[in-house]
Amino acid sequence: MAQVTVTIDGKAYRMACEEGQEDHLGDLATRFDQYVGHLKAQFGEIGDLRITVMAGIMVMDELSEVNRRLKSIEAEVDDLKRGRDTALSDQTRSEESLASALGEVTAQIQDIAAKLNGRPTPSAN
């Protein structure tokens, strides 16, 4: 385990983390410190514990909003996937119908060409 010292509200805290996660933990601590600093500027000295709890609640509120938006985006992606699947299915059916129609037209053209050339038509065999 790696050790990192982070600073929140001017106080150093030694923390353990997985190897390679030191910078990430430092970034998280810096962002949390910004919440604490914002609240201290807004409310003044109302106690470290209260400020920390308020900052934690603010973070959880933002996380809740992100989760709500993520669920909305996931639902939209699911709708888009269903629309894509429907469009692909419709396209496949259209292509199959077109191929069938082309086959029929081709057979009719061959029959006409055979009649014009005085040969028996392939369908008359």
Side-chain angles (χ1 to χ4, degrees):
M1 283 248 147
Q3 295 284 319
V4 177
T5 300
V6 299
T7 303
I8 298 176
D9 193 28
K11 297 173 189 73
Y13 297 92
R14 187 174 179 102
M15 307 192 80
C17 65
E18 296 290 326
E19 293 291 333
Q21 294 295 309
E22 298 89 350
D23 289 340
H24 180 63
L25 179 58
D27 291 342
L28 293 173
T30 298
R31 289 173 50 200
F32 189 75
D33 186 49
Q34 290 171 347
Y35 283 95
V36 171
H38 169 76
L39 289 170
K40 270 198 152 176
Q42 192 172 8
F43 296 107
E45 292 294 330
I46 60 172
D48 289 346
L49 182 58
R50 180 174 280 173
I51 290 287
T52 303
V53 168
M54 290 171 70
I57 289 171
M58 285 176 66
V59 169
M60 293 307 299
D61 182 48
E62 285 188 15
L63 178 61
S64 175
E65 176 62 18
V66 167
N67 283 332
R68 185 193 64 74
R69 290 177 58 200
L70 176 61
K71 286 179 185 176
S72 173
I73 290 169
E74 286 173 339
E76 186 176 339
V77 167
D78 287 343
D79 288 345
L80 290 171
K81 284 180 180 178
R82 279 191 296 277
R84 178 205 58 204
D85 292 344
T86 299
L88 287 174
S89 178
D90 290 348
Q91 180 181 357
T92 300
R93 279 194 302 276
S94 294
E95 288 172 356
E96 289 169 354
S97 295
L98 180 59
S100 176
L102 283 174
E104 291 173 15
V105 169
T106 300
Q108 290 173 359
I109 290 172
Q110 288 173 344
D111 285 348
I112 292 170
K115 287 178 186 175
L116 289 174
N117 290 326
R119 289 180 272 162
T121 60
S123 58
N125 289 335

